[in-house]
């Protein structure tokens, strides 16, 4: 098959390099091999042209729709205008000792569906939430990897221009008009979750980030899982992030807004509560451009009643505040990872199950007073870190408390608390569920 565009390019490079077309064709093949077959002939020729300083065809602007062709006509290399059907989880891989990232985005132009495979730096578009379901993409120089099924790839020559549905300009709108929102995927609230829906999108604010864990799949592959707790004003829900999606947990901070695309709900083990899973077909990102969420405090206020400490009763979960009048204790306790029993100081294994794998649990106990009552309040793990305003505990707790005592005494803490009766003293105490503010 002849390709006039390619021949022209090859002749231009040959002229610039003072050689013949055949030696340039050889260089094109070498370039393709160098990129492990990710470049088409024309793509490789364009890279060579750039290297040789050959003037490339004028770069069209972000709105110019003149070169756009239907997906069905895309061969070799094409400019296309499409809509995002779904975004799969990015994946990491290693090839020839080099680490890379790849992500599959399902697209349509209204008539034809295709896969768009993004490589390496282009995967940032997905990991940082630039590409969402139903966004429009103007893709310049998409490389056509295969036509049955149709698969496009991004290469070094490809430019992906993302347009949110409300950012469509007059120049692009005739094209966009033909691409209806193709997906019937619902956007759910936490209170609406059911476990029979194959997929849904959902927004939430991060209330807690749990540590990431590694595990081994049945086929021997290593997997990773991270857990978050989110709230949206209708409820709280755990989010289970599998494999590459677990990366997000390292970047997430309490209070951040996030969006999950193509999650599914499952009942938690030994519980009636739903958990949202995000597997390879879904993806999750922080700071969505548009979201329906209030600030963290508003989200929590919609879910819990405000109460003075004096009227809290056993089992209550409520919003309250108190001034810190004293610090009772602060310690790092060892907990068995298998059964969550506290491992006694100095003990090598768990008394209950014999497990030797322990995790550190930070516990800070203070006295709060809101003018109605003195109440002992316990803060665990991330709540304790928020109270102390530290991210990592790198020195012993006595030092932390000594350094923080002056900072803490007199501070007003607002948060969601759970009330329980101390089995030994018979006094009502509270555990901090979520810290709203420490001022
Ligand atoms: Zn144990």
């Amino acid at each position: 098959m002849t390709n006039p565009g390619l021949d022209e390019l090859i002749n231009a490079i040959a002229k610039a390099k003072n050689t013949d077309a055949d030696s340039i064709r050889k260089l094109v093949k070498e370039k393709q091999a160098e990129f492990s077959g990710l470049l088409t002939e024309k793509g490789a020729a364009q890279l060579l042209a750039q290297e040789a300083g050959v003037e490339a065809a004028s770069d069209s602007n972000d709105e110019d729709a003149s070169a756009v062709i239907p997906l069905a006509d895309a061969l070799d290399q094409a400019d296309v205008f499409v809509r995002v059907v779904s975004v799969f989880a990015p994946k990491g891989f290693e090839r020839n000792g080099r680490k890379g990232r790849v992500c599959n985005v399902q697209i349509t132009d209204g008539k034809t569906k295709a896969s768009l495979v993004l490589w390496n730096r282009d995967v940032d578009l997905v990991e940082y939430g630039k590409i969402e379901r139903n966004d429009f993409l103007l893709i310049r120089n998409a490389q056509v990897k295969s036509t049955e099924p149709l698969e496009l790839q991004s290469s070094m020559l490809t430019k992906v221009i993302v347009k949110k549905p409300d950012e469509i300009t007059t120049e692009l709108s005739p094209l966009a008009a033909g691409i209806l929102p193709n997906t019937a995927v619902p956007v759910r609230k936490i209170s609406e979750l059911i476990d029979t829906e194959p997929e849904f999108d959902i927004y939430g604010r991060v209330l807690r980030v749990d540590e990431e864990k590694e595990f081994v799949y049945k086929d021997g592959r290593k997997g990773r899982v991270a857990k978050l707790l989110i709230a949206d004003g209708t409820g709280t829900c755990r989010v289970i992030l599998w494999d590459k999606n677990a990366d997000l947990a390292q970047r997430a901070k309490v209070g951040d807004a996030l969006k999950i695309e193509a999650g599914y709900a499952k009942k938690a083990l030994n519980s009636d509560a739903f958990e949202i899973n995000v597997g390879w077909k879904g993806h999750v990102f922080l700071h969505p451009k548009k979201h329906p969420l209030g600030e963290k405090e508003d989200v929590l206020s919609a879910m819990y009643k405000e109460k003075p400490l004096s009227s809290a009763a056993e089992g209550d979960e409520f919003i309250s505040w108190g001034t810190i009048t004293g610090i009772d204790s602060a310690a790092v306790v060892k907990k068995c990872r298998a059964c969550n029993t506290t491992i006694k100081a100095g003990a090598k294994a768990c008394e209950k199950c014999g497990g030797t794998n322990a995790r550190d649990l930070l516990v800070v106990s203070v006295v709060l007073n809101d003018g109605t009552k003195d109440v002992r309040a316990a803060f665990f793990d991330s709540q304790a870190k928020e109270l102390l305003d530290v991210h990592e505990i790198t020195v012993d707790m006595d030092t932390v408390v000594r350094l923080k005592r002056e900072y803490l005494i007199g501070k007003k803490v607002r948060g969601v608390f759970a009330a329980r009766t101390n089995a030994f003293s018979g006094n009502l105490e509270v555990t901090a569920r979520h810290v709203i503010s420490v001022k």
Side-chain angles (χ1 to χ4, degrees):
M1 193 183 86
T2 57
N3 186 331
L6 177 63
D7 288 342
E8 259 168 47
L9 208 53
I10 283 174
N11 288 332
I13 304 166
K15 202 173 156 194
K17 290 194 154 208
N18 238 336
T19 180
D20 58 85
D22 278 345
S23 25
I24 301 301
R25 279 181 214 285
K26 237 170 95 184
L27 289 177
V28 166
K29 290 269 178 285
E30 282 172 22
K31 206 60 166 176
Q32 280 186 287
E34 191 184 320
F35 283 87
S36 318
L38 295 182
L39 281 179
T40 61
E41 267 187 301
K42 194 167 176 185
Q46 276 175 332
L47 269 187
L48 286 170
Q50 270 178 17
E51 286 167 16
V54 173
E55 190 86 0
S58 67
D59 225 5
S60 37
N61 69 40
D62 281 8
E63 314 297 343
D64 181 12
S66 59
V68 168
I69 60 165
L71 275 176
D73 298 344
L75 279 169
D76 194 24
Q77 198 174 140
D79 285 5
V80 295
F81 189 69
V82 296
R83 200 154 193 192
V84 175
V85 179
S86 58
V87 181
F88 292 162
K91 281 190 278 191
F93 67 88
E94 223 172 299
R95 187 185 283 164
N96 306 329
R98 281 174 124 187
K99 281 191 176 169
R101 291 176 297 157
V102 61
C103 184
N104 189 319
V105 180
Q106 299 294 301
I107 54 173
T108 180
D109 66 356
K111 292 205 172 76
T112 310
K113 282 192 173 186
S115 296
L116 168 67
V117 180
L118 301 173
W119 295 94
N120 299 322
R121 220 171 46 192
D122 288 332
V123 177
D124 281 352
L125 292 170
V126 168
E127 293 198 333
Y128 292 94
K130 300 281 186 287
I131 294 184
E132 288 178 68
R133 194 197 293 286
N134 286 328
D135 280 351
F136 292 96
L137 308 179
L138 177 58
I139 311 169
R140 303 252 183 237
N141 285 324
Q143 313 284 313
V144 180
K145 182 78 200 288
S146 74
T147 50
E148 288 284 341
L150 184 57
E151 184 183 310
L152 310 182
Q153 304 218 22
S154 68
S155 76
M156 295 171 78
L157 300 160
T158 307
K159 200 168 160 198
V160 180
I161 300 146
V162 184
K163 295 284 177 189
K164 300 286 165 192
D166 58 359
E167 289 174 354
I168 294 299
T169 53
T170 42
E171 202 159 348
L172 292 174
S173 60
L175 288 173
I179 319 180
L180 297 170
N182 41 68
T183 45
V185 173
V187 179
R188 292 293 179 215
K189 297 251 193 292
I190 289 171
S191 62
E192 300 169 339
L193 296 183
I194 46 169
D195 54 5
T196 50
E197 203 155 52
E199 58 173 341
F200 54 82
D201 296 352
I202 194 164
Y203 297 90
R205 283 219 183 258
V206 177
L207 292 185
R208 203 174 67 218
V209 183
D210 288 346
E211 62 182 325
E212 188 188 309
K213 281 180 194 159
E214 279 198 1
F215 65 96
V216 181
Y217 282 105
K218 276 181 192 150
D219 63 6
R221 268 183 311 130
K222 265 196 190 151
R224 289 182 302 138
V225 61
K227 292 180 185 177
L228 306 171
L229 185 73
I230 62 165
D232 66 356
T234 73
T236 60
C237 188
R238 262 175 181 276
V239 178
I240 320 287
L241 303 169
W242 299 97
D243 295 326
K244 194 88 174 91
N245 278 321
D247 284 356
L248 177 114
Q250 290 162 11
R251 301 196 304 265
K253 290 196 300 294
V254 171
D256 283 349
L258 65 75
K259 183 184 184 189
I260 294 165
E261 289 191 344
Y264 59 94
K266 262 168 71 172
K267 285 256 168 78
L269 214 61
N270 306 323
S271 159
D272 266 345
F274 284 118
E275 291 177 335
I276 301 167
N277 285 261
V278 193
W280 67 272
K281 267 189 158 178
H283 89 127
V284 55
F285 56 91
L286 296 168
H287 318 301
K289 216 171 171 184
K290 277 192 177 164
H291 61 76
L293 304 162
E295 291 304 314
K296 181 186 168 196
E297 175 158 14
D298 303 327
V299 166
L300 291 171
S301 296
M303 288 154 37
Y304 300 96
K305 282 212 169 71
E306 179 111 27
K307 264 188 187 186
L309 292 170
S310 58
S311 58
E314 171 82 30
D316 278 355
E317 286 199 306
F318 60 103
I319 292 180
S320 199
W321 69 274
T323 303
I324 300 176
T325 57
I327 301 170
D328 271 352
S329 64
V332 175
V333 183
K334 297 256 178 235
K335 286 273 185 184
C336 171
R337 275 188 204 272
C339 72
N340 213 31
T341 301
T342 304
I343 298 177
K344 286 188 184 140
K348 287 226 162 61
C350 169
E351 217 171 63
K352 196 172 165 194
C353 76
T356 53
N357 198 351
R359 69 185 175 98
D360 287 340
L361 177 71
L362 178 61
V363 191
V364 179
S365 173
V366 301
V367 178
L368 295 180
N369 188 302
D370 66 347
T372 69
K373 200 183 181 189
D374 264 338
V375 169
R376 190 156 287 155
F379 294 74
F380 296 97
D381 268 344
S382 57
Q383 277 72 44
K385 284 178 187 162
E386 277 188 75
L387 180 74
L388 295 168
D389 193 27
V390 293
H391 299 289
E392 283 310 317
I393 302 293
T394 49
V395 293
D396 67 284
M397 277 315 297
D398 290 342
T399 310
V400 174
V401 172
R402 205 179 64 235
L403 292 171
K404 288 283 179 179
R405 179 172 292 274
E406 226 170 297
Y407 163 84
L408 283 177
I409 298 289
K411 280 262 183 314
K412 272 187 182 174
V413 183
R414 220 173 123 68
V416 177
F417 297 96
R420 62 185 162 82
T421 309
N422 183 305
F424 297 106
S425 67
N427 290 334
L428 201 76
E429 299 180 349
V430 297
T431 301
R433 289 266 182 267
H434 312 293
V435 174
I436 294 171
S437 62
V438 182
K439 283 182 193 159

